[in-house]
Amino acid sequence: MEVFMTYENAIESLEKSLVFGIKPGMQRIKKLLELLDNPEKAYKVIHVTGTNGKGSVVAMITKILELSGIKTGRFTSPHLIEYTERFYSCGAYISKEKFAEMYEKVQKAVQIMKEEGHEQPTEFEMLTAMAFLYFKEENVEYTVVEVGMGGLLDSTNVVEPEISVITNVAMDHMKILGKDIKSIAEQKAGIIKEKKPVVTSATNEALSIISKEAEKKHSKIYVYNKDFAVDSVEVKNKGQMIKLKTDIKEISEKEQTIEIPLNGKYQSINAAIAWTTVKLLENKEKRITNESILKGFLSVIWHGRFEIFEIDGNTIILDGAHNFAGAKTLNETLNQKYKNKKRLVIFSSLKDKETQKILKLIVRENDTVFFVEAPTKRTRTFDELKKMTDSKHFEMPNVKTALDKALKISGKDNVIIVCGSLYILGDALKFINGESD
């Protein structure tokens, strides 16, 4: 009797592959996809990288394409609660049964690779192959693909995109991508393909490197605050109204006012990038209309990016802020919306992050921080974290306990913030939704 793979078995097996670590390189993924009959060639792709904002941009573009009547897939990482969040197609996440089925198919190809003497693929490479195969089986027309890390040697970089998108470039993942902006920008610029347009909000040295790579590849490049921009922003109770403008000749309509339900100044820049991308695509895809663009922006959902919740009169904000650039934008938005409120910060961080710099930005002298270790071997320990702040701090066994304590001591003059690592946002969402163990 044939035994079918369950979702739980698939996750257990996938996570065993974590022992192979993060190994940039294209040989393994190319061989794996070849054995699966190159599913990534079955649809058109928008490829998105950048240090911050890429997930939000992916979510915006996906929703606009969907509401234009285009069958669209979306591949993102990491997940907040379940692995199934990474694979999204035609308005829904992949089912657990289908996830297990995709894993089983990819695992068979991995076994052939190993028998032929090839190196074992990493967890992310297998997830990438699963996603590409799933989108092929779903018969999507477009897939919006978020780079896992960097770009040049990322396993998603096998695609031939219609448009390459590079958000900002800042210091992150330095052990793998390089210890300076030049090195990191070179990795991000690696997703630029021959004669394919590039949309970016990079600046200064990073922009120079990306522009040179675009020139080398004969690719037109469209730059934020040069070719397109945010003209004005009206901050609303939940979200913001944004007037966008452009002088790109390929875009006929030079201005449009949109509304997004996402908070934070940086989301207006992300919206400008997404808008420019779909307006460029509109020339090929006549199904994209002003109406579908407006509806897409208005209905976008992207958890854990300055996401605001209210519990019994207490404000809770979830934000990744897992690198210095992200922490800077979080701090700016907090100062804008909650300037006079004391911060109760539930915080975790990974060993490869500029943790002390992040903490100094977010946790002020009179604020309180609740340290939680992230559920990964890469987490900073309590001993490491408490040496990085002079503010009042507590060690908490988990996010639920931290939120319970924060809510007990919070009041109208406080704001509770969960940040520092995407790894802890899932548990915070479960708590808020009443799903904690």
Side-chain angles (χ1 to χ4, degrees), residues 68-124:
S68 300
I70 299 168
K71 289 188 74 175
T72 307
R74 182 183 82 196
F75 178 46
T76 57
S77 60
H79 58 278
L80 297 185
I81 298 174
E82 292 284 355
Y83 272 85
T84 49
E85 297 164 30
R86 298 179 183 226
F87 306 174
Y88 173 98
S89 171
C90 304
Y93 295 128
I94 189 173
S95 68
K96 289 184 176 181
E97 294 76 19
K98 193 72 176 175
F99 185 97
E101 183 188 326
M102 292 302 102
Y103 177 75
E104 198 162 19
K105 290 179 178 180
V106 168
Q107 188 55 38
K108 286 176 182 175
V110 169
Q111 197 56 43
I112 294 170
M113 282 180 68
K114 288 159 74 175
E115 287 168 4
E116 292 179 355
H118 296 283
E119 193 178 12
Q120 162 80 34
T122 66
E123 185 205 39
F124 188 72

Side-chain angles (χ1 to χ4, degrees), residues 39 41-44 69-74 88-90 98 102 130-143 287:
K41 296 180 179 178
Y43 35 76
K44 295 174 180 176
I70 299 168
K71 289 188 74 175
T72 307
R74 182 183 82 196
Y88 173 98
S89 171
C90 304
K98 193 72 176 175
M102 292 302 102
M130 288 166 62
F132 289 160
L133 182 60
Y134 173 61
F135 297 136
K136 181 181 179 180
E137 293 194 4
E138 287 286 289
N139 294 311
V140 302
E141 300 170 78
Y142 277 81
T143 296
R287 287 175 288 178

Side-chain angles (χ1 to χ4, degrees), residues 166-235:
I166 304 173
T167 59
N168 70 332
V169 178
M171 300 299 284
D172 199 11
H173 301 299
M174 286 86 80
K175 286 184 179 177
I176 292 169
L177 302 182
K179 294 186 178 180
D180 52 41
I181 288 293
K182 178 178 181 293
S183 303
I184 295 170
E186 285 169 350
Q187 291 293 317
K188 307 288 186 193
I191 73 164
I192 298 172
K193 301 297 192 298
E194 192 76 25
K195 296 181 180 177
K196 299 294 184 181
V198 183
V199 179
T200 186
S201 62
T203 59
N204 303 324
E205 184 183 13
L207 176 59
S208 175
I209 288 161
I210 291 165
S211 298
K212 284 176 186 173
E213 184 64 21
E215 184 180 4
K216 194 165 84 173
K217 296 282 178 66
H218 309 101
S219 300
K220 287 187 178 180
I221 183 167
Y222 304 99
V223 180
Y224 177 72
N225 269 344
K226 179 186 173 191
D227 303 301
F228 64 97
V230 173
D231 189 48
S232 64
V233 176
E234 180 190 340
V235 176

Side-chain angles (χ1 to χ4, degrees), residues 232-236 239-243 257-260:
S232 64
V233 176
E234 180 190 340
V235 176
K236 302 173 78 70
Q240 47 198 313
M241 191 84 74
I242 307 161
K243 184 178 179 183
T257 299
I258 63 161
E259 185 176 351
I260 60 172

